[in-house]
Amino acid sequence: MSPARIAVIGTGTIGAQTLWQLARHGADVTGYELFSPGHSRGAAGGETRLFRHIDAEHLEYLPLTGRSDLLWRELEKESGRTLRNLTGALALGSTASPATRIALESAAVLGSRAEVLGREEAQRRFPAFRLHEDEVAILDKGAGIIFPERSVRTAADAALARGARILRECRVTAVDQVGDQVDVVTGEGRERYDRVIVAAGAWTATLLPDIAPYLATRRLLSSWYLPKAGHTLDGMLPYLRTEPDYSYGLPTADGLAMKLGVGFRDHLPVESPDTAPLRISDEDLAPVRAVARDLFPTLDDYPMRAQAYFEAYTHSRIEFLREHPGMPAVLVCAGFSGKGFKNAPVFGEMAARAVLGLPPASEGAAFVLDAAHPSR
Ligand SMILES: Cc1cc2nc3c(=O)[nH]c(=O)nc-3n(C[C@H](O)[C@H](O)[C@H](O)COP(=O)(O)OP(=O)(O)OC[C@H]3O[C@@H](n4cnc5c(N)ncnc54)[C@H](O)[C@@H]3O)c2cc1C
């Protein structure tokens, strides 16, 4: 039997998808949101996220991304809103690197949906990129851009349309299991639920201190670059490069600028988004400006805009989707490790099905649900 009342704490990327999935099952569900669905003060800002099938870490993600692809389409159909622009994307990397080996194995699994290009061929077809001598490019044909703020808002709206309740501008200050049930505490008092899902992103360690050892909370920077005089962004695709330095980029929806970001090594460790510095220094931008100079001959390397976002990483980089160690009626969904957006629908579905007592609907779910999580 499904639990009578369910709360979802955080209606950001994962929480909004979870709420939508629960509402689709007809569950009595309430979302709590510190700001409002679709805000950009957590992990889901900056107008674009990369959707890609090619994975450079674990082949087990391929069926999960395939399921997400389907769920993104279902959400677009149900809402009547366009949430993605699947232009194709490039995965770049050195032939010598283990990450590129996994990416090439992903391409083999995808078959005709991916195309492996040697350096010369890649340079000819995508002259906006300047590849290193030992690099290959994989064209991921079903990849592209997701619109994050619109997607979060759309999933939340779809949940509301199916009867969910969302309490906006409402901070949850504690989650306490009382017997078999759980109290959600806010400034307004306590409300009791049968099951609670915490999807609080970079705020998870603050709300649930027992989970803090499993997570590393980071400030991530996005910065946007205009083309040099006489150039345009024509032919520029979203990309991910794993070696020698991790970076990724996405053209803006209007095609006027390229947004760039770098990897974990260059993200500032923070306690919480509530107290993290928002000022972005020249030193902060040095690694990403080096990427702009190295990889993009036609981009101006001085950003026209830079913005900070917040994300929680696990130490293994595999998502933390499991019961709270001291509160079995609380499911924690955290640590999406810089790559949770594309698979948000499937993670939302996994969380919803777990609390409803249903088996996962996607092949590959056990890889995430059963992952061991080292604490540090
Ligand atoms: C700059 C950047 C670039 C990225 N690029 C990509 C990409 O290209 N592709 C990709 O797949 N992934 C990408 N990611 C990762 C992806 O965006 C994240 O993994 C994902 O958004 C995390 O979702 P979340 O639900 O955990 O966090 P969030 O989306 O931040 O949601 C957490 C929500 O909880 C709310 N909340 C927190 N505490 C409370 C509380 N106490 N009470 C009530 N509400 C609360 C917050 O307000 C927020 O709305 C990127 C991340 C960043 C930061």
Side-chain angles (χ1 to χ4, degrees), residues 248-265:
Y248 60 90
L250 302 122
T252 53
D254 59 13
L256 294 182
M258 185 78 172
K259 182 177 82 170
L260 299 179
V262 290
F264 184 81
R265 195 188 63 192

Side-chain angles (χ1 to χ4, degrees), residues 152-171:
V152 173
R153 185 54 188 258
T154 297
D157 286 349
L160 287 171
R162 287 177 173 272
R165 179 170 74 123
I166 298 180
L167 304 175
R168 295 158 43 142
E169 297 185 65
C170 182
R171 183 187 285 263

Side-chain angles (χ1 to χ4, degrees), residues 8-16 31-46 48-52 72 144 146 148 152 167 169-175 184-186 198-204 206-207 218-224 239-240 246 248-250 259-262 267 273-274 307-313 319 333-344 347:
V8 178
I9 316 303
T11 65
T13 311
I14 306 297
Y32 289 81
E33 173 50 52
L34 186 50
F35 304 111
S36 181
H39 73 84
S40 62
R41 297 157 119 183
T48 51
R49 287 286 177 276
L50 183 57
F51 179 85
R52 61 187 159 90
W72 279 118
I146 323 171
V152 173
L167 304 175
E169 297 185 65
C170 182
R171 183 187 285 263
V172 172
T173 53
V175 174
V184 171
V185 184
T186 68
V198 176
W203 287 265
T204 305
T206 313
L207 181 61
R218 292 290 186 270
R219 183 189 78 168
L220 278 67
L221 300 181
S222 293
S223 47
W224 284 256
Y239 83 96
L240 172 74
Y246 187 100
Y248 60 90
L250 302 122
K259 182 177 82 170
L260 299 179
V262 290
H267 303 328
D274 293 336
Q307 201 82 40
Y309 304 99
F310 300 94
E311 169 77 316
Y313 288 74
E319 300 76 6
C333 300
F336 293 93
S337 303
K339 58 193 167 74
F341 213 96
K342 64 178 184 297
N343 284 330
F347 293 139

Side-chain angles (χ1 to χ4, degrees), residues 117-189:
L117 308 169
R119 181 175 179 271
E120 270 180 36
E121 170 75 350
Q123 287 291 199
R124 193 180 58 74
R125 285 181 49 189
F126 301 103
F129 294 83
R130 179 169 46 213
L131 302 193
H132 292 180
E133 283 303 325
D134 64 340
E135 272 188 310
V136 289
I138 304 171
L139 177 61
D140 184 346
K141 296 178 189 171
I145 286 167
I146 323 171
F147 305 116
E149 299 90 344
R150 190 189 302 174
S151 297
V152 173
R153 185 54 188 258
T154 297
D157 286 349
L160 287 171
R162 287 177 173 272
R165 179 170 74 123
I166 298 180
L167 304 175
R168 295 158 43 142
E169 297 185 65
C170 182
R171 183 187 285 263
V172 172
T173 53
V175 174
D176 298 328
Q177 183 153 347
V178 182
D180 289 343
Q181 293 182 302
V182 186
D183 278 358
V184 171
V185 184
T186 68
E188 304 293 306

